[in-house]
């Protein structure tokens, strides 16, 4: 990774110059990305969480503390003792299963391929053997899938040389990206392409290298949550826009005592506070859970998050801390075998309603042990994605449809389904 010779990061007392490459290590305790930092490499992991590499350290997600990179990727250290990664990217090509979701690291002349934090057999290899035509000692790399680049490409950066590498044909196209700074790391996030240089970044067109709009911008304001700042940056607006109008079914939905709504979908969640909306990865806020929760309900200042046959319990409020001793088996916590479809508690009550297939169970959270006290048939819907209950009634989410009932009693006894509403419009204020 090219390090700009004029950057002196006094707080770290590091000498970040070309000659100093690889020598600025073991100051992890002092590494604070909020003071401004030029990253060596950025890549998503297989859960879509961004990893920022700096020296022999690693930042996972947009906030949180630094870790030693070798704790997650041991061999990077063993093989080279270089203490830094030149470039990294995550291959995301479902029709290339041997590489799909692998993270590739570039160190000097070598390339490492990791899956699930495990080095693939035969790696490290020479860059030439895996990416013929691509030079050693790279500065940055980023994947560009078919949907953005017409074919599945990896874009490599070295100085101002740009290479489009076609994953399938292995053809290399040298490009000239006029008007773009030399990137020290590059990153695809939510369908956009970012070149990082110094403390700043620029958004670019992966085909032409054109930079539109007012760049560079300070990476700390967009890619790192440094103050208790809001994610009201352009980046998260894009994300929020995409999530709030998405028609992909929700996994889970709940609201907290303050009336804020939390919606979970795949690897992401949205928090809706009145007019304000935040989006983030589940992995970064609910690390232990990773992704793809089945249902979530709130009780007594905590989220109960059910995934398969396990229950994760997080304190509501930033950061969401995971309660010790969890996850626990669902059977132990609520007396029911997983998986379940939906679980919800109405405000000021302590009865959790659990829908599993065609049965609705009621479990008293104050009982000990907790076991279903009542089982009633639930046949109104063929299936439900999740159910949320608030002071103004019960909302049932079935695919893109939302059904509103005045109360649980009304849901159980209503003769007809209420008129379905659109999930994105009703819950997230999507206007189309
Ligand atoms: C990681 O590196 C640190 C120092 O850089 C070393 O003390 C530690 O033993 C290494 N851990 C592993 C798992 O290799
Ligand atoms: C990932 O690695 C962990 C331990 O390193 C293992 O338990 C798990 O089964 C692996 N998952 C996959 C999908 O290979
Ligand atoms: C970008 O890289 C080229 C070498 O490829 C170098 O000549 C040029 O000075 C670099 N520009 C900046 C602004 O560092």
């Amino acid at each position: 990774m090219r390090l700009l010779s004029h950057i002196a990061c006094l707080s770290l007392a590091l000498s970040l110059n070309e000659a100093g490459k690889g020598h600025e290590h073991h100051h992890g305790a002092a590494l604070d990305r909020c003071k401004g930092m030029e990253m060596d490499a950025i890549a998503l992991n297989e859960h879509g969480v961004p990893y920022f590499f700096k020296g022999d350290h690693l930042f996972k997600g947009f906030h949180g503390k630094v870790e030693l990179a070798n704790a997650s990727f041991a061999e990077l250290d063993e093989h080279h003792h270089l203490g830094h990664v030149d470039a990294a990217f995550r291959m995301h090509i479902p029709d290339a299963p041997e590489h799909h979701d692998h993270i590739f690291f570039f160190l000097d002349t070598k390339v490492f391929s990791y899956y699930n934090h495990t080095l693939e057999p035969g790696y490290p290899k020479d860059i030439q053997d895996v990416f013929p035509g691509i030079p050693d000692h790279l500065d940055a790399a980023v994947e560009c899938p078919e949907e953005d680049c017409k074919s599945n490409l990896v874009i490599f950066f070295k100085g101002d040389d740009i290479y489009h590498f076609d994953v399938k044909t292995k053809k290399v196209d040298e490009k000239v990206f006029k008007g773009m700074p030399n990137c020290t790391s590059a990153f695809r996030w939510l369908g956009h392409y970012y070149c990082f240089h110094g403390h700043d970044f620029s958004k670019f067109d992966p085909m032409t290298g054109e930079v539109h709009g007012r760049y560079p911008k300070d990476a700390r304001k967009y890619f790192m949550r440094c103050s208790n700042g809001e994610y009201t940056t352009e980046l998260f607006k894009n994300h929020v826009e995409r999530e709030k109008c998405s028609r992909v079914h929700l996994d889970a939905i709940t609201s907290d005592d303050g009336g804020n709504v939390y919606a979970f979908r795949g690897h992401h969640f949205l928090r809706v506070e009145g007019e304000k909306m935040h989006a983030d990865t589940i992995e970064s806020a609910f690390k232990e859970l990773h992704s793809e929760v089945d249902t979530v309900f709130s009780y007594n200042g905590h989220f109960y998050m059910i995934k398969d046959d396990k229950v994760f319990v997080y304190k509501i409020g930033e950061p969401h801390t995971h309660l010790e001793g969890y996850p626990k088996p669902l059977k132990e916590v609520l007396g029911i075998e997983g998986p379940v479809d939906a679980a919800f508690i109405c405000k000021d009550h302590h009865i959790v309603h659990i829908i599993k297939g065609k049965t609705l169970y009621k479990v008293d959270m104050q009982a000990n042990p907790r076991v279903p006290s009542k089982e009633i048939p639930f046949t109104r819907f063929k299936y439900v994605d999740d159910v949320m209950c608030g002071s103004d009634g019960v909302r049932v989410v079935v695919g893109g449809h939302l059904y509103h009932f005045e109360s649980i009693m009304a849901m159980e006894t209503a003769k007809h389904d209420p008129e379905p509403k659109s999930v994105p419009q009703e819950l997230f204020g999507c206007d189309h």
Side-chain angles (χ1 to χ4, degrees):
M1 188 70 31
R2 182 170 299 274
L3 298 169
L4 300 179
S5 53
H6 57 270
I7 291 178
C9 194
L10 297 174
S11 62
L12 304 178
L14 299 178
S15 138
L16 303 185
N17 52 47
E18 280 287 305
K21 264 180 148 183
H23 297 292
E24 72 261 16
H25 318 307
H26 311 303
H27 295 278
L31 281 184
D32 178 356
R33 55 180 151 177
C34 292
K35 295 204 169 119
M37 184 177 290
E38 183 175 74
M39 295 296 170
D40 291 338
I42 310 173
L44 297 180
N45 77 354
E46 57 270 34
H47 302 294
V49 177
Y51 282 8
F52 297 85
F53 293 87
K54 176 65 183 179
D56 54 4
H57 285 83
L58 163 59
F59 298 90
K60 294 179 175 173
F62 295 112
H63 53 98
K65 289 216 170 58
V66 70
E67 301 175 15
L68 276 169
N70 66 357
S72 299
F73 304 100
E75 297 84 357
L76 292 182
D77 211 30
E78 269 169 37
H79 282 261
H80 271 263
H81 298 286
L82 271 184
H84 78 108
V85 173
D86 289 333
F89 74 92
R90 180 191 68 168
M91 188 81 86
H92 194 66
I93 302 176
D95 55 9
E98 74 281 19
H99 292 317
H100 182 51
D101 276 351
H102 286 47
I103 307 182
F104 288 84
F105 292 99
F106 298 84
L107 280 77
D108 281 1
T109 62
K110 297 287 185 191
V111 54
F112 294 68
S113 169
Y114 277 89
Y115 184 65
N116 190 24
H117 291 193
T118 308
L119 187 64
E120 287 291 289
Y123 283 86
K125 295 184 180 179
D126 286 337
I127 293 175
Q128 277 311 306
D129 293 343
V130 187
F131 300 98
I134 299 304
D136 298 335
H137 303 282
L138 288 162
D139 286 336
V142 63
E143 74 282 11
C144 186
E146 221 165 7
E147 63 203 83
D148 302 335
C149 278
K150 300 200 176 76
S151 55
N152 288 309
L153 300 181
V154 184
I155 308 172
F156 291 101
F157 303 77
K158 178 168 176 161
D160 53 8
D161 296 331
I162 310 293
Y163 304 85
H164 274 180
F165 181 91
D166 188 307
V167 174
K168 201 161 165 198
T169 64
K170 297 196 188 282
K171 190 167 151 286
V172 178
D173 245 357
E174 286 201 43
K175 291 278 179 185
V176 179
F177 278 9
K178 281 207 192 99
M180 200 162 93
N182 296 351
C183 312
T184 57
S185 52
F187 176 44
R188 177 180 190 264
W189 177 247
L190 305 172
H192 295 288
Y193 291 80
Y194 300 94
C195 158
F196 287 69
H197 41 95
H199 299 172
D200 295 332
F201 71 95
S202 301
K203 183 162 95 178
F204 67 95
D205 181 318
M207 291 299 281
T208 64
E210 285 166 294
V211 174
H212 299 290
R214 263 188 270 151
Y215 291 96
K217 293 182 176 171
D218 189 331
R220 283 170 292 182
K221 294 201 189 129
Y222 292 82
F223 289 93
M224 296 155 207
R225 188 152 64 162
C226 285
S227 55
N228 279 332
E230 305 282 319
Y231 279 148
T232 47
T233 62
E234 173 198 30
L235 195 66
F236 286 92
K237 268 191 217 142
N238 286 338
H239 192 179
V240 163
E241 264 323 297
R242 175 177 301 208
E243 286 290 316
K244 86 179 199 185
C245 289
S246 167
R247 313 226 169 248
V248 178
H249 80 95
L250 294 172
D251 292 330
I253 185 156
T254 191
S255 58
D256 63 19
D257 288 345
N260 305 315
V261 173
Y262 295 74
F264 299 81
R265 178 191 282 136
H267 294 284
H268 295 100
F269 74 99
L270 267 182
R271 183 170 85 241
V272 187
E273 296 178 30
E275 295 284 287
K276 273 197 295 183
M277 241 172 277
H278 302 255
D280 204 346
T281 59
I282 293 178
E283 175 97 11
S284 63
F286 306 98
K287 185 164 174 290
E288 294 76 6
L289 185 75
H290 298 305
S291 63
E292 287 158 347
V293 64
D294 293 334
T295 179
V296 178
F297 67 90
S298 341
Y299 174 65
N300 223 353
H302 292 84
F303 287 129
Y304 285 70
M305 309 179 82
I306 303 178
K307 178 170 174 159
D308 302 324
D309 55 1
K310 291 203 174 65
V311 183
F312 297 75
V313 181
Y314 288 88
K315 194 164 71 59
I316 298 177
E318 304 257 323
H320 302 288
T321 39
H322 193 220
L323 283 203
E324 233 180 279
Y326 287 88
K328 288 186 183 171
L330 180 59
K331 180 85 185 162
E332 190 184 314
V333 182
L334 296 173
I336 284 183
E337 298 282 356
V340 299
D341 299 321
F344 58 100
I345 288 190
C346 296
K347 219 175 168 183
D348 303 331
H349 294 286
H350 43 83
I351 307 293
V352 55
H353 297 74
I354 301 166
I355 297 171
K356 177 177 172 174
K358 299 268 175 257
T359 310
L360 174 72
Y361 299 86
K362 301 195 180 195
V363 179
D364 188 341
M365 291 297 282
Q366 293 179 342
N368 187 9
R370 294 185 194 132
V371 285
S373 59
K374 219 173 166 188
E375 290 179 26
I376 43 184
F378 181 80
T379 51
R380 174 163 301 278
F381 298 100
K382 276 211 190 77
Y383 78 96
V384 299
D385 287 321
D386 206 7
V387 179
M388 176 171 84
C389 191
S391 44
D392 58 347
V394 183
R395 289 185 165 76
V396 182
V397 176
V398 183
H401 291 144
L402 183 88
Y403 298 88
H404 185 202
F405 298 92
E406 291 302 313
S407 63
I408 293 176
M409 179 72 98
M411 179 175 77
E412 285 167 8
T413 57
K415 290 222 167 57
H416 305 286
D417 289 348
E419 182 83 10
K421 305 218 166 115
S422 144
V423 168
Q425 286 172 14
E426 283 299 304
L427 288 179
F428 309 129
C430 171
D431 53 13
H432 58 266

